[in-house]
Amino acid sequence: MGLNAALKVPTTAERPRDNGHALVGSRCGQCGATSFPARAVCHRCGTAAPAEHTFAATGVLLTYTTVHVPRPGLPAPYTLGQIALDDGGPMVFGQVRTDGTEPEAGMAVRVRIGAPSETPRYWFVPERFAG
Amino acid sequence: MHPFGRYPNSSLKDLNRVACVSALVDAGLAVSDVDAVYAANAMAGLLQGQEMIRGQSVMREIGIERVPVTNVENACASGSTALRQAVLAIRAGSADVVLVAGVEKMFVEDRSRTLAALESAGDLDVVSGIGLQFTAVYGMRLRKLIAAGRLTVDDLVAVSVKSHANGERNPYAQHRKVVSPEEVLGSRPIADPLTLLMCSSICDGAAAVVVARRGAVRDNSKPTVRIRASQAATGYTTTGNEPSLTELCAAAAYAEAGVGPEDVDVAEVHDAMAPAELIAYEQLGFCSPGDAGALLDSGTTQIDGSRPVNPSGGLSSRGHAVGATGLAQIAELTWQLRGEAAGRQTERPRIGLAHNNGGWLEGESAVSCVHLLERTDPWD
């Protein structure tokens, strides 16, 4: 696949970022590297082979922090996490919402997709709450 | 340097004037000797509304016109990135004497504007709206190391105490106050495990250096400080298993200079949150993974130790006027290598390392710059 294929991919705005249940990005057909959001050219092997890919809805919470400084539209405290999506998915940052219990590094989490008008569009909950 | 701190009555031009004139006077040069300027700034566009010609606008105040002024913006690594451009210009043969200056004025009437500007150091297309900012990124990095048993909360506290103690001895520092471990631990939580006294804060300031081709400047009787390595790198999409950006950038700098971490006598490292100094110990090769706390406890990195780190107080105590920080590090190392760092002078250093990172991508900095400086004159 030549690099010129990168000239023909949809614009960033046209690429889906979720399917209502899971995050959607790209996976390189050449080397398997994954990216969220999708990219035109693979960051690992440089080929224009990334294809749209729906990631696992579950992942592992690698680390997290509770932020105590409020920002406009973001009352504090809120918890942010770094999540490695399952099945070779990418690492992503996202809010982690629990019922007030302290998260644990290494715990299984599941993505939640909000309404299209919602900010943020996605967040994570502990898998044991996900039912 | 213009001392770091809060200067409501000083404009970008005032801050820059003090840093640049001080640097030129120190070099024994006139403005007419300057062949080119690299002007670093990160936030004036968002905070002061001065875009497009930030460098040109502040340099006019000190009579610098006509010569090429290039604006450099690279988040918290703007200053070190500008220095690298000056090095490249001299190596390319296009200039003999280059002024490199960084200025930042972060105190504005509405603090939330400054916080919003800082949040723009990530890929907004990816993280906009989730509430990610510098303290959270560092909080997550540190928690990962604590969970892995490589650092303890006590280590985080101890390095913050050290940072403040060094800042107290530096007349250019924003935070000149010794703090106790209890005060650090008891200060307001920001993004756990980070507390207020572990973090750098909003800051005004400027720093400038003059870089010249060897032999281009008449001997001004000061010890010569030579730039032995100038490296930069961009963050990458990580799976969590790759070496860190800082490790790669430092390895390139060590290779360029033909030295190793064991040769570094004094270092200024990027500690936007004081505990990040501990991460830098590992990534710069000053200790093995998991030994940062032990290295700190040994006293090695104190001002009177064998490998002092952040004698200036670092970003968290000297201050972090974003666009000026990388050059404040170079100024400090230059004073240290010349023996001019009164009150905080380290023991006859020969090799100095500056490590300046900026922004963030998926868990990594977006920018890393590592410079190695050498005092070429003997100490005796």
Side-chain angles (χ1 to χ4, degrees), chain B residues 9 24 89 93 140 182 246 254 270 282 300 316 320 347 362:
Chain B
N9 299 323
L24 288 166
M140 285 189 267
E182 294 70 29
T246 293
Y254 290 137
H270 194 86
E282 292 188 10
T300 303
S316 48
H320 184 24
E347 180 65 28
E362 282 68 30

Side-chain angles (χ1 to χ4, degrees), chain B:
Chain B
M1 273 183 67
H2 184 296
F4 281 18
R6 183 173 190 160
Y7 299 97
N9 299 323
S10 296
S11 65
L12 289 165
K13 288 183 178 180
D14 293 320
L15 299 168
N16 183 74
R17 167 172 51 87
V18 170
C20 290
V21 170
S22 302
L24 288 166
V25 168
D26 178 85
L29 296 172
V31 293
S32 56
D33 294 316
V34 174
D35 297 325
V37 177
Y38 288 90
N41 169 271
M43 299 159 79
L46 288 164
L47 297 182
Q48 282 78 38
Q50 177 64 64
E51 284 281 17
M52 309 277 192
I53 56 161
R54 299 177 202 174
Q56 289 84 349
S57 68
V58 295
M59 290 299 163
R60 306 173 77 203
E61 161 73 5
I62 57 169
I64 295 182
E65 300 177 335
R66 297 176 186 269
V67 296
V69 174
T70 304
N71 292 292
V72 178
E73 183 184 319
N74 227 1
C76 308
S78 296
S80 53
T81 303
L83 176 64
R84 186 158 186 273
Q85 298 310 303
V87 169
L88 298 178
I90 289 172
R91 283 183 189 163
S94 73
D96 287 339
V97 176
V98 183
L99 174 65
V100 193
V103 62
E104 206 71 69
K105 191 168 168 57
M106 295 167 70
F107 279 105
V108 293
E109 285 192 8
D110 179 2
R111 184 168 161 273
S112 73
R113 287 181 52 226
T114 305
L115 296 180
L118 285 166
E119 281 180 29
S120 71
D123 181 353
L124 295 181
D125 174 51
V126 179
V127 298
S128 183
I130 71 171
L132 190 68
Q133 28 71 1
F134 278 111
T135 52
V137 170
Y138 279 97
M140 285 189 267
R141 281 181 200 164
L142 289 160
R143 182 185 299 283
K144 204 183 281 188
L145 293 168
I146 291 169
R150 280 165 61 175
L151 285 177
T152 66
V153 172
D154 284 350
D155 296 332
L156 272 53
V157 171
V159 77
S160 306
V161 168
K162 167 187 166 294
S163 158
H164 280 84
N166 291 2
E168 190 269 335
R169 296 162 70 165
N170 181 359
Y172 294 95
Q174 176 178 24
H175 299 293
R176 302 197 59 191
K177 185 170 172 287
V178 171
V179 298
S180 69
E182 294 70 29
E183 286 173 304
V184 173
L185 209 47
S187 62
R188 188 157 66 80
I190 300 293
D192 62 283
L194 292 167
T195 63
L196 183 67
L197 289 178
M198 295 180 187
C199 300
S200 60
S201 55
I202 291 172
C203 183
D204 301 338
V209 302
V210 177
V211 190
R213 179 194 310 284
R214 195 195 310 221
V217 177
R218 64 191 171 281
D219 185 23
N220 63 6
S221 80
K222 293 190 168 75
T224 301
V225 173
R226 183 169 158 228
I227 299 174
R228 285 283 305 272
S230 176
Q231 292 288 334
T234 295
Y236 37 86
T237 309
T238 172
T239 59
N241 302 316
E242 297 90 351
S244 69
L245 175 65
T246 293
E247 276 171 82
L248 294 178
C249 195
Y254 290 137
E256 181 184 354
V259 302
E262 65 282 358
D263 299 308
V264 174
D265 299 310
V266 58
E268 283 282 320
V269 307
H270 194 86
D271 65 331
M273 316 300 150
E277 180 178 323
L278 299 163
I279 301 176
Y281 291 170
E282 292 188 10
Q283 295 181 339
L284 296 170
F286 297 160
C287 70
S288 304
D291 290 345
L295 180 66
L296 176 70
D297 289 344
S298 72
T300 303
T301 58
Q302 300 280 357
I303 286 176
D304 60 0
S306 59
R307 181 167 297 131
V309 176
N310 287 354
S312 69
L315 281 63
S316 48
S317 294
R318 181 209 49 244
H320 184 24
V322 172
T325 285
L327 295 165
Q329 293 178 325
I330 300 297
E332 177 68 17
L333 290 176
T334 301
W335 289 322
Q336 292 285 349
L337 293 170
R338 288 180 182 171
E340 296 172 356
R344 61 187 190 287
Q345 180 61 49
T346 59
E347 180 65 28
R348 295 157 60 111
R350 189 178 68 87
I351 300 277
L353 179 147
H355 159 246
N356 186 203
N357 279 18
W360 67 83
L361 297 167
E362 282 68 30
E364 262 291 1
S365 298
V367 188
S368 183
C369 288
V370 175
H371 284 85
L372 285 161
L373 309 184
E374 180 189 17
R375 176 193 168 107
T376 54
D377 304 88
W379 271 95
D380 298 313

Side-chain angles (χ1 to χ4, degrees), chain A residues 55-79:
Chain A
F55 301 119
T58 54
V60 176
L61 181 68
L62 301 174
T63 183
Y64 65 94
T65 183
T66 299
V67 178
H68 295 269
V69 182
R71 302 281 299 117
L74 256 180
Y78 59 93
T79 300

